[in-house]
Amino acid sequence: MNMAGVDPYLASLTVWPALLWLAWWLGERAQPRGVPRVSVYVAVGLLGSAIGLAPAPAVAGGGAALLAQFALALVLFELGCRIHLGWFRHNPWVLLIGVVQSVAIFGAVVWALGAVGVAAEWRPLVAAVAVAASPASLLRVAHDVRAAGQVTERALHLAAIQGVMAVLFVKGASGYWHLSAAGDWAQAVLSSAYAVVLSAALGVALAVVVSALVRGPYGSPSAPTVGYALALVWLTFVSDALRLSPMLAALSFGVLLRERRVYVANAQRDFGTLGLLLGVFLFVYVGSRMSWGALAQGGVWAAAGVVLAARLGIPVVLNAVLAVPSGTTVRKGALTGVALLPMSAMTLLLLERSIALGLPPAAEALWHLTAALLWLELLGPWLTQWALVAAREAAHPTLGPAPAAAPPPSP
């Protein structure tokens, strides 16, 4: 449905800010009743899509897509600052689980999509982005219910691993397509190894520079917060201009700062008001990119069934089976797998980025994932919230504040 007779640019200027305000207001009213804010924001974005107010995608030069990448970069930076590489050395099972479940999801989705009739040329890219969890949803839900504990930390670490694996799979699928479609070895290498290695290197280089500049006491938590945010603005724009991955660069930036023990402890969590504002925008944007025409196609729902089954079944089973060797209980392992269900922000931006970089299968992959994104972003946060509460790591959202939590244990 479109707003007939209305200038789309004027409509975006007037209605989009109102949608963002409505999303924030409804989220604040719904969260005390047990409804995740993230799901509310996405639902309002769906409303914007239904009335024809989806912003211009990255391929059309839309500034909203770049702003969404920056919003996700903030989330991935914060996630990176929570990742302790030493935990992987002391407990390599967590790293093994993350890698194995990523490969298993990719393989299962590729195979099952063939069984439901999806063309072979689209399958690898659909499966690649289906691997990505949603760090933005996980962090936001964990913050909302003040979750802390083994399940929370494992889910965040595994989401980071799955995000990196998804980028690797997407770049690999992109390189394979360029090679098979045009026999272009140079483009295949450029779109895979070049982007992955240089994205991580850019984040690491920025961390080295920033770590030399931010040491010292700060009188206000807003000072380091602004500094890190401005560094991420630079990182996002430069990564975009160089055809790299802003998401992988931001995650690498945060991980190295954590390892160098530079991240300022009194920086505002979730980037304070800026992070909350951009978080609302990110999820409304995700909802607004919904293709309603795709939801009328049976093949899209078949693909959604495949993705949902793989994303829920494989992490739950794998984490439960390997729970005891990895240092937790079977129950907590299964709950960790449930908490990893949300998928949309990173998946959507990976595909939009691929479309902007000239990868034709990306548009078809996004079309096939429409129903999966709809269900996993609307219902995924509910299951994440339920898993954290069931693990006794968070207060039930309708029962008031959570008790004071001890520092999170290693995953």
Side-chain angles (χ1 to χ4, degrees), residues 104-114 123 126-128 130-131 303 306-307 310-311 314:
I105 291 171
F106 178 81
V109 172
V110 168
W111 174 81
L113 287 177
R123 276 180 249 156
V126 173
V131 169
V306 166
V307 173
R311 285 193 54 83
I314 291 173

Coordinates of all heavy atoms in Angstrom, one line a residue, residues 104-114 123 126-128 130-131 303 306-307 310-311 314:
A104 N 27.0 -26.5 10.8 CA 25.8 -27.3 10.7 C 24.6 -26.6 10.2 O 23.8 -27.2 9.4 CB 25.6 -28.0 12.1
I105 N 24.4 -25.4 10.7 CA 23.2 -24.6 10.2 C 23.4 -24.4 8.7 O 22.4 -24.5 7.9 CB 23.1 -23.3 11.0 CG1 22.7 -23.6 12.4 CG2 22.1 -22.4 10.3 CD1 22.7 -22.3 13.3
F106 N 24.6 -24.0 8.3 CA 24.8 -23.7 6.9 C 24.5 -24.9 6.0 O 23.8 -24.9 5.0 CB 26.2 -23.2 6.7 CG 26.6 -23.0 5.2 CD1 26.2 -21.8 4.6 CD2 27.3 -23.9 4.5 CE1 26.5 -21.5 3.3 CE2 27.6 -23.7 3.1 CZ 27.2 -22.5 2.5
G107 N 25.1 -26.0 6.4 CA 24.9 -27.3 5.6 C 23.5 -27.7 5.6 O 22.9 -28.2 4.6
A108 N 22.8 -27.7 6.8 CA 21.4 -28.2 6.9 C 20.5 -27.3 6.0 O 19.6 -27.8 5.3 CB 21.0 -28.2 8.3
V109 N 20.7 -26.0 6.1 CA 19.8 -25.1 5.3 C 20.0 -25.3 3.8 O 19.1 -25.3 3.0 CB 20.0 -23.6 5.7 CG1 19.3 -22.6 4.8 CG2 19.6 -23.4 7.2
V110 N 21.3 -25.4 3.4 CA 21.6 -25.6 1.9 C 20.9 -26.9 1.5 O 20.2 -26.9 0.4 CB 23.1 -25.7 1.7 CG1 23.4 -26.3 0.3 CG2 23.8 -24.4 1.8
W111 N 21.0 -28.0 2.2 CA 20.4 -29.2 1.8 C 18.9 -29.2 1.8 O 18.2 -29.6 0.9 CB 20.8 -30.3 2.8 CG 20.1 -31.6 2.5 CD1 20.4 -32.6 1.6 CD2 19.0 -32.1 3.2 NE1 19.5 -33.6 1.6 CE2 18.6 -33.4 2.6 CE3 18.2 -31.7 4.3 CZ2 17.6 -34.1 3.1 CZ3 17.2 -32.4 4.7 CH2 16.8 -33.6 4.1
A112 N 18.3 -28.6 2.9 CA 16.8 -28.6 3.1 C 16.2 -27.6 2.0 O 15.1 -27.9 1.6 CB 16.4 -28.2 4.5
L113 N 16.9 -26.5 1.7 CA 16.3 -25.6 0.7 C 16.2 -26.3 -0.7 O 15.2 -26.1 -1.4 CB 17.2 -24.4 0.6 CG 17.1 -23.4 1.7 CD1 18.1 -22.2 1.5 CD2 15.7 -22.8 1.9
G114 N 17.1 -27.2 -1.0 CA 17.0 -28.0 -2.2 C 15.8 -28.9 -2.2 O 15.1 -29.1 -3.2
R123 N 20.7 -20.8 -2.9 CA 20.8 -21.6 -1.7 C 22.1 -21.2 -0.8 O 21.9 -21.0 0.4 CB 20.8 -23.1 -1.9 CG 19.5 -23.7 -2.1 CD 19.6 -25.2 -2.3 NE 19.2 -25.5 -3.7 CZ 19.6 -26.6 -4.3 NH1 20.4 -27.4 -3.7 NH2 19.1 -26.8 -5.5
V126 N 21.5 -17.8 1.0 CA 20.4 -17.9 2.0 C 20.9 -18.6 3.2 O 20.7 -18.1 4.3 CB 19.2 -18.6 1.4 CG1 18.2 -18.8 2.5 CG2 18.6 -17.8 0.3
A127 N 21.6 -19.7 3.0 CA 22.2 -20.5 4.1 C 23.2 -19.7 4.9 O 23.3 -19.7 6.1 CB 22.7 -21.8 3.6
A128 N 24.1 -18.9 4.1 CA 25.1 -18.1 4.8 C 24.6 -17.1 5.7 O 25.1 -17.0 6.9 CB 26.0 -17.5 3.7
A130 N 21.6 -17.1 7.0 CA 20.8 -17.8 8.1 C 21.6 -18.2 9.3 O 21.1 -18.4 10.4 CB 20.1 -19.0 7.5
V131 N 23.0 -18.2 9.1 CA 23.8 -18.6 10.2 C 23.9 -17.5 11.3 O 24.0 -17.7 12.5 CB 25.3 -18.9 9.7 CG1 26.3 -19.0 10.8 CG2 25.3 -20.1 8.9
A303 N 10.8 -21.8 2.9 CA 12.2 -21.5 3.3 C 12.2 -21.0 4.7 O 13.2 -21.3 5.4 CB 12.7 -20.3 2.4
V306 N 12.3 -24.1 6.9 CA 13.7 -24.6 6.9 C 14.6 -23.9 7.9 O 15.3 -24.4 8.7 CB 14.2 -24.7 5.5 CG1 15.7 -24.9 5.5 CG2 13.5 -25.7 4.6
V307 N 14.6 -22.5 7.7 CA 15.5 -21.7 8.5 C 15.2 -21.8 10.0 O 16.1 -21.9 10.9 CB 15.5 -20.3 8.0 CG1 16.3 -19.3 9.0 CG2 16.0 -20.2 6.6
A310 N 16.3 -25.2 11.5 CA 17.7 -25.3 11.6 C 18.2 -24.4 12.7 O 19.1 -24.8 13.5 CB 18.4 -24.9 10.3
R311 N 17.7 -23.2 12.8 CA 18.2 -22.3 13.8 C 17.8 -22.6 15.2 O 18.5 -22.2 16.2 CB 17.8 -20.8 13.5 CG 18.5 -20.2 12.3 CD 18.3 -18.8 12.2 NE 18.6 -18.1 13.5 CZ 19.8 -17.7 13.9 NH1 20.8 -18.0 13.1 NH2 20.0 -17.2 15.0
I314 N 19.3 -27.1 15.7 CA 20.7 -27.4 15.8 C 21.4 -26.8 17.0 O 22.1 -27.5 17.8 CB 21.4 -27.0 14.5 CG1 21.0 -27.9 13.3 CG2 22.9 -27.0 14.6 CD1 21.4 -27.4 12.0

